[in-house]
Amino acid sequence: MIEILQRIATLIVKEFLLILIDPKSRFVIIVPPLIQFFVFSYSATFDLQNVEYAVLDESNTVLSRSLLSRFSGSPHFSLVGMLDTTAQVPELINNRAVRLVLHIPTDFADRVRNHEPAVLQVIADGRNSNVASVALGYVQEITEQYGESLQARFVSTSPRISLIQRSWFNRNMETRWYIVSSLGGIISMVIVMLLSALSVAREREFGTFDQLLVSPFQPAEILIGKAVPCVFFGLMDATILSLAAAYWFDVPFRGSIVALVIVLLAFLIAVVGVGLFISSISVTMQQGLLGAFVFIMPSVLLGGFTTPISNMPQWLQNGTLVNPLRYVVQALRDIFLMGAELSTIWHYIWPLLIISAVTMPAAAVMFRHRTQ
């Protein structure tokens, strides 16, 4: 047993030295994760700021200008210009000069004074449905607040229903918290997949694979020796990115550090198993790189990072059960935002352990098969 541990330790040191001595490997481990993290964190947000809009105010009264002042004073909107006729609307929308056009009809003020329903027509550019729906949500919120103020002004004696909103875990509904909290898991997966998918293929391409075959190392020992450095560097990257999320982007870290480390370890072991499986069946590093990206893209799309898994078809939801990223994304969000402990996220950890128990032996079997 001691000899086995010594052989594994020798392989681990060898893999660490191969990665650390190679300038390209050092660059891949440190620089791209940081660049990707900050680029995604600053760019990937569902919050809209400065939505360009134009106004066609045919009422041109105190009441209509009062409503429009709420839009001009909002940080979500940016006024592009005032229109004179409805004929100007299609050109602005078609040329993407504005995303919204607010049209206030001539009878707006009269309807308000007569306690009749007043109309604000909103024409949105639906080519980007996500942006349009979010912008229309902001419009609805502003018009509802304006309607409440009119009701208090003109029919102050009538009973009203007041809506009080409270958001748990994310008081200001900042989508950056939602995205950045789980970004460390995705980026660490990319790094670990690249390192592990290229490890065995690198040996074949450099001609050192035959030396491993004639050495006293067993296939399982070789895979463990190659897996440990990948897991270590992945955990290091994920930890650094988690610290950056908490201290640079002020995402609250309310959970347990132990839970964070354990869920990341279970996740990275599962990913390393997939990467070593790909590397075992790859003859060249190019094949290993291609196989890694074939796995990464569907994993990110089906991991619940940007789109909720519950919105997917049922058969596709069932398919995501074998995706390790599905579990770590939700676990990291729960740890950061909800303050989850180890016992709270156990239902995310045991599926990762099962996936690890499948991927690592599968990689060992394929590696042993290719060495025969």
Side-chain angles (χ1 to χ4, degrees):
M1 184 64 182
I2 297 178
E3 294 180 357
I4 295 176
L5 294 178
Q6 289 177 344
R7 291 198 297 266
I8 293 176
T10 302
L11 284 172
I12 292 174
V13 172
K14 166 184 169 292
E15 290 298 320
F16 269 111
L17 292 177
L18 283 176
I19 295 174
L20 294 176
I21 291 176
D22 184 11
K24 295 181 180 179
S25 298
R26 292 200 307 267
F27 179 83
V28 167
I29 293 172
I30 299 173
V31 179
L34 293 176
I35 295 176
Q36 293 170 12
F37 177 76
F38 284 101
V39 169
F40 275 106
S41 298
Y42 279 112
S43 62
T45 175
F46 300 129
D47 297 326
L48 294 182
Q49 302 291 333
N50 300 320
V51 177
E52 299 89 351
Y53 74 102
V55 172
L56 176 58
D57 185 6
E58 294 182 330
S59 176
N60 196 22
T61 58
V62 174
L63 291 174
S64 65
R65 288 192 293 268
S66 175
L67 172 59
L68 295 175
S69 67
R70 293 176 177 260
F71 288 92
S72 60
S74 171
H76 300 297
F77 294 96
S78 176
L79 180 62
V80 173
M82 304 293 294
L83 307 182
D84 298 321
T85 63
T86 56
Q88 298 174 277
V89 175
E91 182 180 359
L92 290 176
I93 297 292
N94 294 341
N95 295 334
R96 292 186 170 88
V98 296
R99 295 186 182 273
L100 295 173
V101 174
L102 304 180
H103 177 207
I104 301 179
T106 55
D107 60 349
F108 178 82
D110 294 334
R111 285 181 170 272
V112 171
R113 295 190 184 97
N114 296 330
H115 311 302
E116 297 177 359
V119 176
L120 169 65
Q121 184 182 16
V122 183
I123 305 168
D125 185 354
R127 283 170 289 193
N128 190 329
S129 58
N130 182 58
V131 172
S133 61
V134 174
L136 289 174
Y138 293 151
V139 173
Q140 182 178 1
E141 181 180 357
I142 291 176
T143 53
E144 287 178 352
Q145 293 174 355
Y146 181 71
E148 291 177 359
S149 66
L150 289 179
Q151 188 175 17
R153 176 180 174 184
F154 290 103
V155 252
S156 57
T157 58
S158 62
R160 294 188 299 119
I161 298 177
S162 298
L163 176 64
I164 300 176
Q165 298 181 355
R166 294 180 59 193
S167 300
W168 286 15
F169 311 122
N170 190 350
R171 181 179 302 175
N172 297 324
M173 300 294 288
E174 297 186 26
T175 57
R176 181 166 283 119
W177 288 12
Y178 179 77
I179 292 175
V180 174
S181 58
S182 59
L183 202 53
I186 293 178
I187 295 178
S188 64
M189 180 193 71
V190 175
I191 301 304
V192 168
M193 277 298 300
L194 292 178
L195 290 176
S196 58
L198 297 178
S199 58
V200 179
R202 184 193 302 114
E203 301 278 1
R204 288 197 178 97
E205 193 162 313
F206 289 171
T208 57
F209 185 71
D210 294 336
Q211 298 177 10
L212 285 176
L213 298 182
V214 298
S215 64
F217 299 116
Q218 298 297 320
E221 297 172 357
I222 296 175
L223 289 181
I224 293 174
K226 290 184 174 297
V228 171
C230 297
V231 173
F232 173 81
F233 288 119
L235 184 62
M236 179 189 70
D237 284 335
T239 303
I240 293 174
L241 299 182
S242 297
L243 291 173
Y247 291 101
W248 185 268
F249 291 101
D250 296 325
V251 179
F253 184 85
R254 301 176 176 135
S256 167
I257 296 178
V258 174
L260 176 69
V261 173
I262 290 179
V263 73
L264 285 174
L265 278 175
F267 168 68
L268 293 173
I269 292 173
V271 172
V272 165
V274 177
L276 290 177
F277 180 85
I278 294 173
S279 188
S280 298
I281 63 177
S282 301
V283 178
T284 64
M285 294 177 63
Q286 186 177 8
Q287 292 178 356
L289 187 64
L290 180 61
F293 279 102
V294 168
F295 174 82
I296 290 172
M297 291 303 295
S299 297
V300 175
L301 292 175
L302 302 177
F305 176 65
T306 55
T307 57
I309 295 177
S310 57
N311 289 349
M312 301 177 186
Q314 187 60 47
W315 63 270
L316 198 55
Q317 293 185 39
N318 297 334
T320 63
L321 294 175
V322 298
N323 182 9
L325 194 62
R326 164 189 176 138
Y327 304 102
V328 78
V329 165
Q330 190 59 53
L332 290 176
R333 286 169 177 166
D334 289 356
I335 292 172
F336 269 88
L337 303 180
M338 292 178 54
E341 302 289 337
L342 183 60
S343 58
T344 311
I345 63 169
W346 174 247
H347 62 288
Y348 297 127
I349 296 177
W350 68 260
L352 290 172
L353 296 178
I354 293 177
I355 295 174
S356 303
V358 173
T359 57
M360 290 299 292
V365 169
M366 183 56 61
F367 182 79
R368 188 180 297 108
H369 175 73
R370 295 300 296 267
T371 57
Q372 293 176 354

